Amino acid sequence: MSMTIPVSGMTCASCATRVEKALSRLPGVASARVNLAEDRVALEGAAPLEEIARVLSRAGYGLREEAWDWSIEGMSCATCAARVEKALSAVPGVLEARANLAGNRAVMRVVAGTDPAVAEAALRRAGYARASEEAGPARRFGRAEWELLAAALLAAPFLWGMVGMAFGRDWMPGGWWQLALAAPLQFGFGFRFYRGAWAALRSGTGNMDLLVALGTSAAFFLSLWFLLVEPHAHHLYFEAAAVVIFFVLLGKWLEGRAKAATGAAIRALLELRPRTALRLDAEGREEEIPAPLLRVGDRAAIRPGGRIPADGTVEEGEAGVDESALSGESRPVHKEPGTSLSAGTTVLDGRLVMRVTAVGEETTLSRVAAMVSAAQASRAPVQKLVDRVSAVFVPCVVLLAALTLLGWKLAGADWGEAILPAVAVLVVACPCALGLATPAAIMAGTGAAARAGILLRDAETIERGAHIDLVAFDKTGTLTEGRPRLAAIHSAEEGALALAAALQAGSEHPLARAVLAASPGTPPAVQDFRALPGRGVRGTVGGRALLLGSARALRESGLPDPFAAEAAREAAQGRTLSWLLEEGKGVIALLAFEDAEKPGAAPAIAALRARGLRVAVLTGDSEAAARGLAERLGLTDIAAALLPEGKLERIAQWQRQGLKVAMVGDGVNDAPSLAKADLGIAMGTGTEAAIAAAPVTLLRGDPSLVSESLAVARRTYQKIKGNLLFAFVYNAAALPLAAFGMLNPAVAGSVMAMSSVSVLANALVLARWRPAEETPR
């Protein structure tokens, strides 16, 4: 036996030798031969993929992987999702498979080159199928709707007859008419239940299909027996089977509509991608092409009202861009040459020319959609309990139904009377609501958060976010803008700021940009300009020899400082100081710079405190700078001059005290702290580094989103607990009622169907969540 494995990380012949040597030692592998050109290894013999991956990782290499995201047909309960995972995980080349019942999807990690046809065949053997992605929710009236309408027409006479029973009237059709109406429902529209039940039995498990098939078949064939024994019999039990099938079909249709609504977040993101783009040739002529044909390095034009087709940077033009669908920012963002653009956002006014930097799956839009999809497919730790319960639930229900049948018979009922409560037990116990409780809430919560610019990586993130006690912020770039501004100027003559701006014209230093931003008009020309490393800059402006520099430059000049008191006061607030002086004559001005806090910093801290959370700041900045920020924001718990190790120790100290800590940073510099905390929250602009740095990513640098991210995590977790409580209570209450004959099968079917719809409807309330400060656009 032989197998071929794709390997990543091989760059040279010595790499190939190491890989061959490592894999040849595996039990069951006779030899390994590397094809370096194709990054593949041919093995004589076989070994488990997990063992191959472990050996490669130890040698510094890895299996090349792909991700598959399939839509699945036929899943109806948590047991179905577990069986889909089991079937796909057994396929050679599949490393991991996760089924998402609420989204009817399966997400897989597979070895590159794995044949999808093999996985599809395994799905079919398990009783499921890969659905066509073309049949999306945009369809208004398709096969499911026609089937439901036909089932309703067949079930209508039975429903009318049941209404008559309630009023003491006999409105039920004759026995042979009942058979004619019930048979198409049982073996036509109900055939899916037999197919699902058979697949479950073959794999040694039980599911909702098995319960429905057993219950309705018992009612149907008992009625058929009575009809054959007494051809003119009228009071039969066909309505129990027919109405149950109709209500289950109705419930699944309503469930499908609700599931489609919970998946709206991903569809809305992916629909932002424009179909065409205006590519520019070497002469600047526009050519309309399909957007997927754009390549990195291409130049493209975007007209007013057009969507940006790829990630890139602005080369020409200025315009406001609506980034609300991607980042949640309701105000237009000004774009000019050098600024970044994201695929799917809309140019509002003005024409832009961009240089493409990322296309296809590498764009921020696609990565955000992939992250939301992965989060919705993830499984919360609490779901493990549900999975264990579901695995034994169906066999227990079948046993309970058998005991119910025998109990009624021993109590003196005839077989017709005894079978009805047994059927009701089988039907009402279907664990659909239990299986949908967690994934429905996760899909709704992560989708609502994504629309607000908050990315929750997985279900575990939601649970962690719901239990946070303390939020620790980094300072620079998180609570502050991350770029200095001119906070104050103390001058001895008018026009000092213009002189300082003249010396800084053309410089890219952050302090130079702050001076130029604060100076009105065009600064005067400078001659004989030169930089003084570690001191500042020097030049001649209007015939005057000027120097703008640090305290060291002032000391070396020997000039007295008329602003000594002001300098001490500004330094006490943590501000950076520069002196403008005329060489040989005197000091003209003192300039004080600060990294101003973001507009939303103070409200964000107030919102966190209002939720009962402690707030702290961990920063590597000076004690004076940290103290100045603390005074402006009203903070008391602040630690300054910390190295990365110091931040880690402070977080560990809080955790030893039993506190659950969330760390908020920029997603790059604070990566160790984000990993150490119970919950890492990356503030950023949606860059790849920020998205990869923490379980929570905020796509715009607004501190107020920190409070909102914890709020949506808590709301989602509460919905999960509420849904699970409803599902457990429903089954606990319904089973005894059915067993004691207080629910007939038809009512049991409708109640079972409505329980699933109720769970989904409860989750959809969460889908309407919006940040507290968001206003209508």
Side-chain angles (χ1 to χ4, degrees):
M1 182 178 178
S2 62
M3 57 192 304
T4 303
I5 303 296
V7 178
S8 62
M10 296 188 298
T11 59
C12 59
S14 59
C15 292
T17 302
R18 277 201 302 274
V19 168
E20 290 176 348
K21 187 175 180 181
L23 293 179
S24 297
R25 294 173 178 168
L26 277 172
V29 175
S31 65
R33 183 62 61 92
V34 168
N35 182 335
L36 194 58
E38 297 181 2
D39 290 331
R40 292 183 175 275
V41 182
L43 302 180
E44 286 298 326
L49 284 174
E50 295 80 3
E51 189 66 18
I52 292 173
R54 186 181 63 80
V55 169
L56 286 174
S57 176
R58 192 185 302 157
Y61 307 95
L63 286 173
R64 279 198 292 118
E65 296 181 11
E66 295 175 353
W68 293 351
D69 185 353
W70 288 3
S71 179
I72 306 296
E73 287 182 347
M75 290 196 297
S76 58
C77 62
T79 310
C80 293
R83 197 158 67 250
V84 167
E85 289 180 356
K86 183 178 178 181
L88 292 174
S89 298
V91 174
V94 175
L95 301 173
E96 182 185 23
R98 285 286 182 89
N100 178 358
L101 177 62
N104 286 332
R105 305 194 75 80
V107 179
M108 290 158 278
R109 285 175 46 238
V110 303
V111 176
T114 301
D115 187 359
V118 178
E120 291 185 36
L123 261 183
R124 286 193 296 272
R125 286 195 299 272
Y128 307 94
R130 181 183 180 186
S132 169
E133 301 291 341
E134 300 297 322
R139 181 191 61 195
R140 294 296 179 191
F141 209 84
R143 179 179 175 182
E145 287 74 15
W146 284 114
E147 287 185 351
L148 183 64
L149 178 59
L153 293 175
L154 290 171
F158 294 109
L159 291 169
W160 181 246
M162 292 170 66
V163 171
M165 290 180 198
F167 290 98
R169 302 293 184 88
D170 185 5
W171 294 343
M172 195 68 72
W176 294 103
W177 278 107
Q178 291 183 44
L179 175 62
L181 292 168
L185 278 167
Q186 185 71 40
F187 303 108
F189 299 113
F191 181 72
R192 67 188 68 191
F193 303 119
Y194 290 105
R195 184 172 58 235
W198 174 242
L201 290 173
R202 280 198 309 174
S203 60
T205 61
N207 64 355
M208 187 202 82
D209 293 334
L210 179 61
L211 296 180
V212 173
L214 284 174
T216 58
S217 296
F220 182 90
F221 286 109
L222 181 67
S223 300
L224 180 60
W225 169 255
F226 287 159
L227 183 62
L228 294 174
V229 170
E230 187 181 346
H232 300 292
H234 188 63
H235 294 290
L236 304 170
Y237 307 103
F238 284 116
E239 77 277 2
V243 174
V244 163
I245 289 175
F246 167 68
F247 276 130
V248 172
L249 292 177
L250 175 62
K252 299 307 289 182
W253 180 78
L254 292 172
E255 185 181 301
R257 301 284 291 185
K259 285 179 179 178
T262 60
I266 295 179
R267 291 196 304 275
L269 282 172
L270 295 179
E271 286 170 3
L272 294 176
R273 296 179 296 195
R275 299 179 186 278
T276 61
L278 296 175
R279 185 171 60 188
L280 301 180
D281 60 17
E283 285 74 36
R285 292 189 297 265
E286 294 181 359
E287 175 193 8
E288 186 171 8
I289 63 168
L293 295 184
L294 279 178
R295 295 291 178 265
V296 173
D298 285 351
R299 296 173 74 235
I302 308 98
R303 297 168 181 166
R307 289 197 184 276
I308 296 169
D311 284 4
T313 55
V314 179
E315 287 198 341
E316 299 175 20
E318 293 187 21
V321 173
D322 179 0
E323 297 185 339
S324 60
L326 188 59
S327 70
E329 173 59 69
S330 59
R331 294 180 297 273
V333 180
H334 181 71
K335 299 294 183 179
E336 59 187 13
T339 55
S340 62
L341 297 172
S342 295
T345 55
T346 304
V347 176
L348 299 175
D349 50 10
R351 178 180 181 271
L352 296 177
V353 173
M354 66 178 290
R355 178 75 66 176
V356 176
T357 58
V359 297
E361 300 305 312
E362 299 303 316
T363 63
T364 299
L365 175 68
S366 294
R367 287 187 284 111
V368 168
M371 188 173 180
V372 175
S373 179
Q376 293 183 341
S378 64
R379 179 164 293 140
V382 70
Q383 181 69 19
K384 294 175 183 177
L385 171 63
V386 177
D387 294 343
R388 289 196 295 270
V389 170
S390 297
V392 298
F393 189 74
V394 173
C396 289
V397 169
V398 173
L399 178 61
L400 178 60
L403 293 175
T404 300
L405 178 67
L406 293 175
W408 277 87
K409 184 62 180 172
L410 292 174
D414 60 34
W415 286 110
E417 292 172 330
I419 201 167
L420 287 180
V423 170
V425 167
L426 290 170
V427 172
V428 82
C430 292
C432 299
L434 196 61
L436 288 169
T438 299
I442 290 172
M443 289 189 70
T446 53
R451 285 192 295 271
I454 302 167
L455 299 186
L456 305 175
R457 177 172 294 175
D458 52 28
E460 186 175 355
T461 298
I462 292 171
E463 287 202 27
R464 289 177 177 237
H467 297 99
I468 292 300
D469 303 305
L470 182 148
V471 179
F473 286 89
D474 174 50
K475 172 181 169 287
T476 305
T478 303
L479 290 174
T480 66
E481 296 286 357
R483 56 181 183 273
R485 69 176 181 90
L486 183 62
I489 180 168
H490 306 275
S491 59
E493 66 177 71
E494 191 175 347
L497 183 56
L499 295 175
L503 290 175
Q504 300 285 29
S507 173
E508 289 300 317
H509 192 280
L511 295 184
R513 291 198 293 270
V515 170
L516 292 169
S519 177
T522 303
V526 60
Q527 291 86 33
D528 303 324
F529 174 85
R530 65 190 179 98
L532 306 173
R535 296 170 180 80
V537 294
R538 170 182 288 155
T540 302
V541 180
R544 303 170 67 181
L546 303 178
L547 184 149
L548 179 64
S550 62
R552 177 181 175 183
L554 176 65
R555 288 195 302 270
E556 291 179 354
S557 72
L559 296 173
D561 182 9
F563 304 110
E566 289 85 351
R569 193 164 58 247
E570 298 288 358
Q573 298 182 55
R575 291 173 173 172
T576 302
L577 305 179
S578 291
W579 283 262
L580 175 66
L581 52 91
E582 186 172 359
E583 296 185 64
K585 292 190 176 181
V587 176
I588 299 173
L590 168 69
L591 288 76
F593 302 88
E594 71 176 7
D595 185 6
E597 65 269 16
K598 292 181 176 179
I605 290 172
L608 289 168
R609 284 177 168 167
R611 297 183 187 276
L613 300 174
R614 283 180 57 184
V615 183
V617 173
L618 305 179
T619 179
D621 280 359
S622 67
E623 187 72 34
R627 203 164 46 243
L629 178 72
E631 290 175 2
R632 294 194 297 274
L633 297 181
L635 290 166
T636 56
D637 195 349
I638 188 164
L642 293 178
L643 296 173
E645 295 80 6
K647 291 184 180 183
L648 292 176
E649 176 52 36
R650 184 60 64 95
I651 292 171
Q653 181 181 341
W654 284 323
Q655 290 172 329
R656 286 194 294 270
Q657 295 170 7
L659 297 173
K660 300 296 183 183
V661 181
M663 177 67 194
V664 187
D666 63 9
V668 181
N669 300 331
D670 297 298
S673 300
L674 293 171
K676 175 66 176 175
D678 297 282
L679 184 70
I681 303 177
M683 301 275 291
T685 57
T687 60
E688 185 172 356
I691 289 176
V696 180
T697 300
L698 310 181
L699 289 184
R700 67 180 194 269
D702 185 353
S704 66
L705 286 184
V706 175
S707 175
E708 299 300 340
S709 66
L710 298 180
V712 72
R714 186 168 298 176
R715 287 276 300 276
T716 304
Y717 189 65
Q718 289 171 346
K719 285 292 183 186
I720 291 173
K721 291 197 299 183
N723 278 350
L724 287 174
L725 178 63
F726 172 83
F728 278 117
V729 168
Y730 158 78
N731 278 309
L735 280 172
L737 292 176
F740 286 102
M742 301 173 69
L743 286 179
N744 69 52
V747 174
S750 63
V751 171
M752 182 276 295
M754 290 306 106
S755 67
S756 298
V757 176
S758 298
V759 164
L760 285 163
N762 189 39
L764 285 177
V765 173
L766 180 61
R768 295 199 296 269
W769 176 87
R770 295 290 184 275
E773 84 288 350
E774 185 173 292
T775 55
R777 299 183 58 234

